[in-house]
Amino acid sequence: MSDFKQITTALHRVFHEEGQRIVFWNDPDREFLDALPSIAIDGVTPVRLDEVGALEVKIRLERKEPEAKFLLYSPAEEPDFEDDWLLDIRLYSRSFRADRASILLQDLGLVNQHLRTHIADRRKFFDAKDRFQKLKGQVAPDDTGADIDRKMIAVVAKADQPELFNILRTIFHAWSEASADVDLDEPPAAWTSIEKFDLDVPFWQMIRTAFGYFDENPSLKKLLFALFVTDYAYHLNGDIPQAVRGFVLPRVGASNVVVCLAQWRDSNSKGASYDRLSAVAAAILKIEDHLPDLEIDQLAGVMTFLAVEKRIASSLRERVQTTADAINADDIRAVAARRQVGHWASLDGPQSPEAPRKALHDVYDALVAAADFYALRNIHKAGFDYPSATAMYRAYEAELYRFDQLYRHFCEAADGAEDQGWNIVKPLRADIEARYANWYLTSLSLAWGKFLEPKDGLLAKWQIDEVPNQYRFYDRHVRTWVEEADSRRAFVIISDAFRYEAAQELTNELNGKYRFGAVLSSQLGVLPSYTALGMASLLPHTTLAYKGADVLVDGNTSASGDRHGILQRVGGMACRYDDLMAKKKEEGREFVKDKKVVYIYHDAVDAIGDDGKTEGHTFEAVRKAINDLAALVGYIVNSLNGHHILVTADHGFLFTETARPETDKSKLNVKPDDAVLAKKRYLLAPNLPDLDVAWHGKTSTTAKVDGDMEFWIPKGTNLFHFVGGARFVHGGAMPQEIVVPVVTVKHVRGKSAQDTKIKPVTVQVLGTNHRITSAYCRFQLIQMEPVGERLKQATLRVAVYEGDEAVTDVQAVKFDNASGNLDERKKWVNLVLKDRDYNKKTPYRLVLKDAETGIEQQSVEVVIDRAFTDDF
């Protein structure tokens, strides 16, 4: 080697930076024998050991010049210990080599001189300066040959950490990104480089040590199959199929396989490649062919393949279908909750053809909604029987509205899945539809209809005990508030066709916001339950009357363009939702300044549902309405400083996914010549006669309208005609139409605001003195409080850590139990320990992290003591 400058620099560092006094330089190839005089280091005396006796050197170094620095050069190998007269000096001194491997060893800061040969054998790697520099940044002084190899492979593979699992998923990730169609017979470029630098042999040795994988002709393809199948077998509660059994790795390496693949699935940067490669592997291994005979309980712990997720979802749907009449909704929910936080159905991961997470999440939402619907139906199998109209009205407020809500939730989720091409829940739709439309609506209408007969029933008085009528809305909810103090202002949000069940959901959402307090009540809507009459009844008024089809408020028309003038008389104003929400904070405050009453009109549901071309999107419109109204309330509170907000509606609606049959038509044999309005669900005319196919009532009774305007409405859920769409209707007297919600929202301030703080439920680890003695470990966690309006569900990622490194797989666990029973809020989490050396004196921790933020919620100390089990 002729680079004397590099040698001089290296020696200078050894003497003057490392502070060595005596350095032995053995040069068995005599490369630098003639050049030695040219290598000069300040303050260092060179001595050739082949020219001076050992005793003389010893006396000079230790007696005559004990403080001086010496470079002891020998053109020979180091002598054996028994022949080395300077052994005692050599033991406390420093050795130096000037061959390329030795210089690299010096530059890398490695203290083990026996690694010279190891470095020399990998000389191809060091041909590029950038590879050397990257390796140097990772090397530790006491690294072994295996450590160096692993770090070299990490550099070549461009892994961000020189850890085997990280290296492996980096190589696999590069494989999946190489082309649109992954070819498992064409290794990625990173692997070609690993072979080029002769690092493939140490790679396979590391793989064998970590996973127990051995093959006479190893390949990445076969390794990939072995990892996937072993992970599948480890979690499967049953026998692995014979066709893939040969890929299962020894039990001793299986725990590392489980942890490695769990970390790969959990990786934000590399998780997408897991989805692609597992799909390719599953197709080649024909995993789907082995699943039909497996039950949910056998597959419950498996996250390896998308095919397994599809099988669990299909089986869960079958369970919902076959057990509908005696369903255990909690069991269905438990399975769904576990899968929804797992790899394939979690909304946290990216959506892709290989991982349609949103669709699968929707599938499970639909199944839970269906299970809850069936469970509620089973409570009321005999139908509905109440002693009075008041009792039935209150039952709808308290419980029966859930049929409508669950039906909507099911249809929403099923639509979401099917829109993405997933038809798993499609077989359920017909049955849910039949039970909702034919059983629930029919049974409800029969029970409710008993109380409507005009002679002595509800139509004759239109009063429910302790339930205010809609036409008393302003006096009851607005006037009393604003007149108590001059500075008070009321905001009234009227959402067209926003029915009670949706308002209940909105109330829950608002009560999940800091400094908001929402209370849901209802009012008995006007009849017929249609927009013009409902909107008029909500305005401040003394009298209502008809002028043709127009509804007059104190003699003035109440059409949308005239409501502002009506409200001005009480110091108020009217505006549209879109107009108000378009205003910035200061613009909005200026807009409502000096107004005591602000009416805000919102139209999402009726605008879509009341059009035959768009009525099929009614439930999408309801979802939009809930989101819009929550945002509007937030804007009023946070930007307009509103403290008293009311959300209500003009009427509700009836809706079914399927078209109405001809049998739902109540044919009118006679149509009065003086009819003011004749719609699908009501007819208005003065002085109407009784009719067998319709209920007959007076607007003076149901809406306190002056005059002789009367109405017919079809009995039950029937229609007079189907023109212009018949799936979304209103105007009649069904609870869905006339139980009109009133959501009262307060801006909570002062000390009381602390009570509105929203937080996730607390989760704690049960037990003390946690000790892990095997690769499989279990911990019991408890949800300390039931889920409620202010206590939200929590999804935690659970693992055992050493410092910041997870030494187990990471499990996502969802805590969403609303039960008041503490025992029902306990859950077990099963973890698999990485197979490596552990020290029982090292502090390990079981850590619970928030799945969304990654913030640590709790940790407990854990002792890992594998000594006992490893001895056997």
Side-chain angles (χ1 to χ4, degrees):
M1 189 172 183
S2 57
D3 193 353
F4 299 131
K5 182 179 179 181
Q6 187 174 3
I7 293 172
T8 302
T9 300
L11 285 169
H12 185 277
R13 182 171 62 248
V14 170
F15 279 107
H16 295 295
E17 294 182 19
E18 296 181 14
Q20 297 293 335
R21 187 175 81 86
I22 301 170
V23 175
F24 285 83
W25 179 4
N26 287 82
D27 180 21
D29 296 329
R30 307 171 74 87
E31 292 181 81
F32 303 101
L33 182 62
D34 296 332
L36 184 65
S38 303
I39 299 175
I41 310 297
D42 292 340
V44 177
T45 303
V47 175
R48 285 184 51 173
L49 295 181
D50 60 327
E51 295 179 346
V52 183
L55 181 60
E56 181 181 341
V57 171
K58 193 175 181 66
I59 291 172
R60 183 177 179 183
L61 265 61
E62 295 187 337
R63 294 291 182 88
K64 293 183 177 181
E65 301 177 61
E67 302 296 330
K69 297 179 182 291
F70 292 93
L71 174 63
L72 305 181
Y73 173 86
S74 173
E77 284 283 9
E78 287 186 17
D80 294 335
F81 284 179
E82 57 269 20
D83 298 326
D84 191 355
W85 289 90
L86 299 177
L87 178 62
D88 57 334
I89 297 175
R90 193 183 297 274
L91 290 176
Y92 67 75
S93 302
R94 178 77 147 74
S95 293
F96 176 78
R97 294 277 186 172
D99 57 276
R100 187 175 185 227
S102 297
I103 292 173
L104 289 170
L105 208 67
Q106 295 279 346
D107 285 349
L108 289 171
L110 294 165
V111 298
N112 187 348
Q113 295 299 312
H114 295 292
L115 289 174
R116 284 178 57 254
T117 303
H118 195 87
I119 296 295
D121 290 344
R122 285 143 181 80
R123 59 187 178 277
K124 293 180 186 177
F125 175 90
F126 295 100
D127 288 343
K129 185 177 180 180
D130 64 326
R131 285 197 297 270
F132 171 79
Q133 291 299 329
K134 288 175 183 177
L135 179 65
K136 185 176 181 180
Q138 297 181 6
V139 166
D142 57 351
D143 274 350
T144 64
D147 294 330
I148 298 298
D149 287 340
R150 176 168 41 78
K151 293 174 181 180
M152 285 181 175
I153 293 170
V155 170
V156 173
K158 298 181 180 179
D160 50 16
Q161 294 294 331
E163 184 267 333
L164 180 59
F165 294 177
N166 190 298
I167 292 169
L168 198 56
R169 62 177 174 265
T170 302
I171 294 172
F172 287 152
H173 189 74
W175 204 355
S176 78
E177 291 189 320
S179 63
D181 297 318
V182 178
D183 185 353
L184 296 186
D185 292 317
E186 289 293 331
W191 179 252
T192 304
S193 298
I194 289 171
E195 290 183 319
K196 174 184 175 181
F197 298 125
D198 301 321
L199 294 169
D200 52 325
V201 172
F203 173 84
W204 290 119
Q205 182 55 51
M206 284 186 282
I207 293 297
R208 183 176 185 179
T209 300
F211 304 123
Y213 171 83
F214 176 75
D215 193 297
E216 292 291 344
N217 297 296
S219 71
L220 287 180
K221 177 181 179 179
K222 289 188 280 187
L223 172 62
L224 187 72
F225 289 167
L227 295 176
F228 281 138
V229 174
T230 301
D231 184 70
Y232 174 55
Y234 191 97
H235 292 104
L236 180 66
N237 184 16
D239 295 330
I240 194 76
Q242 182 66 42
V244 296
R245 196 168 294 171
F247 288 109
V248 179
L249 296 174
R251 190 72 179 178
V252 68
S255 59
N256 274 351
V257 172
V258 170
V259 176
C260 178
L261 263 62
Q263 291 180 358
W264 187 7
R265 287 191 292 266
D266 194 52
S267 170
N268 289 329
S269 60
K270 307 291 192 303
S273 60
Y274 180 95
D275 300 341
R276 293 195 70 191
L277 293 180
S278 67
V280 173
I284 296 172
L285 296 169
K286 299 181 178 179
I287 294 299
E288 284 195 25
D289 294 349
H290 310 305
L291 298 176
D293 295 331
L294 295 173
E295 301 295 333
I296 293 175
D297 294 343
Q298 294 176 283
L299 295 168
V302 179
M303 292 290 174
T304 317
F305 301 110
L306 175 61
V308 171
E309 197 68 52
K310 291 162 64 178
R311 174 60 185 168
I312 290 175
S314 296
S315 297
L316 195 62
R317 181 209 65 219
E318 292 171 7
R319 181 180 292 182
V320 171
Q321 284 180 285
T322 56
T323 65
D325 291 334
I327 198 161
N328 186 327
D330 288 339
D331 285 352
I332 303 298
R333 185 177 293 101
V335 174
R338 182 174 183 182
R339 302 313 298 187
Q340 283 182 317
V341 297
H343 179 71
W344 300 107
S346 169
L347 297 180
D348 294 335
Q351 183 85 359
S352 69
E354 297 85 9
R357 292 180 170 85
K358 176 64 168 62
L360 284 164
H361 201 91
D362 286 344
V363 165
Y364 289 119
D365 278 345
L367 294 176
V368 170
D372 285 339
F373 182 92
Y374 287 139
L376 187 59
R377 186 258 181 191
N378 292 339
I379 296 173
H380 298 281
K381 277 184 180 179
F384 307 107
D385 185 17
Y386 298 94
S388 66
T390 298
M392 188 164 181
Y393 187 100
R394 293 302 190 189
Y396 185 83
E397 279 186 314
E399 179 189 31
L400 300 185
Y401 77 88
R402 285 282 288 158
F403 281 107
D404 302 304
Q405 191 178 71
L406 290 169
Y407 174 68
R408 173 170 61 84
H409 287 174
F410 172 82
C411 293
E412 273 190 281
D415 286 345
E418 289 173 22
D419 287 348
Q420 298 167 78
W422 286 75
N423 298 321
I424 290 177
V425 296
K426 202 164 190 175
L428 263 179
R429 295 196 81 135
D431 188 63
I432 290 287
E433 187 70 21
R435 297 193 190 220
Y436 179 78
N438 300 336
W439 173 80
Y440 168 65
L441 290 181
T442 300
S443 300
L444 191 74
S445 65
L446 290 173
W448 183 241
K450 293 188 302 182
F451 304 116
L452 290 175
E453 291 303 329
K455 291 181 181 179
D456 55 359
L458 198 55
L459 285 174
K461 58 177 181 178
W462 205 241
Q463 297 287 331
I464 297 291
D465 295 345
E466 298 183 8
V467 174
N469 285 79
Q470 188 177 25
Y471 52 76
R472 297 287 298 160
F473 170 80
Y474 184 83
D475 290 338
R476 180 181 180 85
H477 293 285
V478 183
R479 187 191 306 277
T480 53
W481 167 263
V482 298
E483 289 184 355
E484 281 188 11
D486 291 339
S487 60
R488 283 190 169 182
R489 175 189 293 143
F491 290 87
V492 178
I493 304 168
I494 303 172
S495 184
D496 202 328
F498 191 65
R499 68 180 178 179
Y500 185 84
E501 58 89 5
Q504 190 274 340
E505 193 168 332
L506 173 65
T507 303
N508 280 350
E509 183 170 337
L510 293 175
N511 279 331
K513 297 180 181 293
Y514 178 50
R515 297 186 302 120
F516 286 21
V519 176
L520 173 64
S521 61
S522 78
Q523 54 190 349
L524 182 61
V526 295
L527 204 60
S529 53
Y530 76 105
T531 299
L533 185 56
M535 290 295 186
S537 70
L538 295 170
L539 288 165
H541 66 273
T542 302
T543 63
L544 298 177
Y546 274 100
K547 182 179 181 181
D550 293 335
V551 183
L552 304 181
V553 172
D554 295 335
N556 299 286
T557 178
S558 60
S560 59
D562 301 308
R563 294 168 194 162
H564 182 74
I566 294 171
L567 287 162
Q568 280 185 315
R569 297 169 191 168
V570 292
M573 64 174 291
C575 64
R576 294 172 62 247
Y577 164 84
D578 292 334
D579 295 336
L580 183 60
M581 288 297 283
K583 298 183 184 298
K584 296 179 181 178
K585 182 176 181 178
E586 293 305 320
E587 292 174 334
R589 288 189 173 186
E590 183 65 26
F591 185 59
V592 301
K593 187 176 68 173
D594 300 329
K595 300 295 187 293
K596 293 183 71 65
V597 179
V598 180
Y599 269 49
I600 306 154
Y601 289 91
H602 173 265
D603 188 7
V605 180
D606 204 66
I608 295 297
D610 213 19
D611 186 328
K613 296 178 181 178
T614 59
E615 65 176 351
H617 299 284
T618 292
F619 286 158
E620 294 175 41
V622 174
R623 176 59 53 202
K624 181 180 185 302
I626 293 171
N627 295 337
D628 285 352
L629 298 176
L632 177 56
V633 170
Y635 174 76
I636 293 170
V637 170
N638 297 318
S639 296
L640 306 186
N641 201 26
H643 303 306
H644 184 71
I645 304 160
L646 298 155
V647 182
T648 189
D650 50 351
H651 55 77
F653 65 87
L654 290 169
F655 178 78
T656 55
E657 286 264 293
T658 53
R660 305 287 289 272
E662 183 67 21
T663 54
D664 284 358
K665 182 182 287 188
S666 296
K667 296 181 179 179
L668 290 175
N669 296 321
V670 57
K671 181 178 178 181
D673 293 335
D674 55 352
V676 172
L677 286 173
K679 300 293 185 180
K680 286 174 288 188
R681 195 132 162 82
Y682 62 94
L683 182 146
L684 280 170
N687 303 311
L688 287 170
D690 289 340
L691 203 64
D692 289 340
V693 296
W695 280 315
H696 175 204
K698 299 179 180 181
T699 58
S700 59
T701 300
T702 61
K704 284 293 183 286
V705 178
D706 292 347
D708 56 0
M709 190 66 71
E710 300 182 8
F711 60 84
W712 286 333
I713 57 174
K715 293 183 177 181
T717 61
N718 282 6
L719 308 179
F720 288 143
H721 59 80
F722 294 170
V723 177
R727 294 158 62 189
F728 173 94
V729 295
H730 59 84
M734 285 289 286
Q736 294 91 334
E737 300 168 281
I738 53 87
V739 178
V740 176
V742 178
V743 182
T744 305
V745 188
K746 297 290 187 182
H747 178 198
V748 184
R749 295 174 292 178
K751 293 182 178 179
S752 299
Q754 297 301 312
D755 297 332
T756 69
K757 283 191 173 180
I758 313 304
K759 62 179 183 179
V761 293
T762 306
V763 179
Q764 293 187 358
V765 183
L766 288 176
T768 57
N769 301 322
H770 299 283
R771 182 178 296 270
I772 299 174
T773 59
S774 67
Y776 182 82
C777 46
R778 300 182 77 209
F779 298 91
Q780 192 173 31
L781 311 180
I782 185 167
Q783 177 186 320
M784 297 304 293
E785 314 93 353
V787 166
E789 287 182 336
R790 305 292 180 185
L791 286 165
K792 300 304 179 183
Q793 66 182 34
T795 301
L796 303 180
R797 305 184 78 79
V798 184
V800 175
Y801 286 81
E802 179 182 1
D804 294 329
E805 178 195 356
V807 296
T808 64
D809 59 331
V810 180
Q811 291 285 339
V813 188
K814 187 176 184 179
F815 296 90
D816 59 352
N817 199 307
S819 171
N821 187 333
L822 203 62
D823 288 336
E824 293 180 8
R825 302 201 299 268
K826 294 177 181 178
K827 285 192 177 184
W828 286 97
V829 59
N830 302 316
L831 301 174
V832 180
L833 189 67
K834 187 176 180 181
D835 188 15
R836 43 154 274 196
D837 291 332
Y838 295 95
N839 186 336
K840 64 182 180 182
K841 295 183 179 179
T842 298
Y844 302 99
R845 297 181 305 138
L846 175 69
V847 180
L848 282 56
K849 293 183 179 180
D850 182 271
E852 182 180 358
T853 64
I855 296 173
E856 186 175 308
Q857 302 298 306
Q858 192 198 11
S859 71
V860 296
E861 290 188 2
V862 174
V863 174
I864 302 179
D865 185 4
R866 296 292 306 277
F868 178 79
T869 53
D870 289 346
D871 287 341
F872 293 90

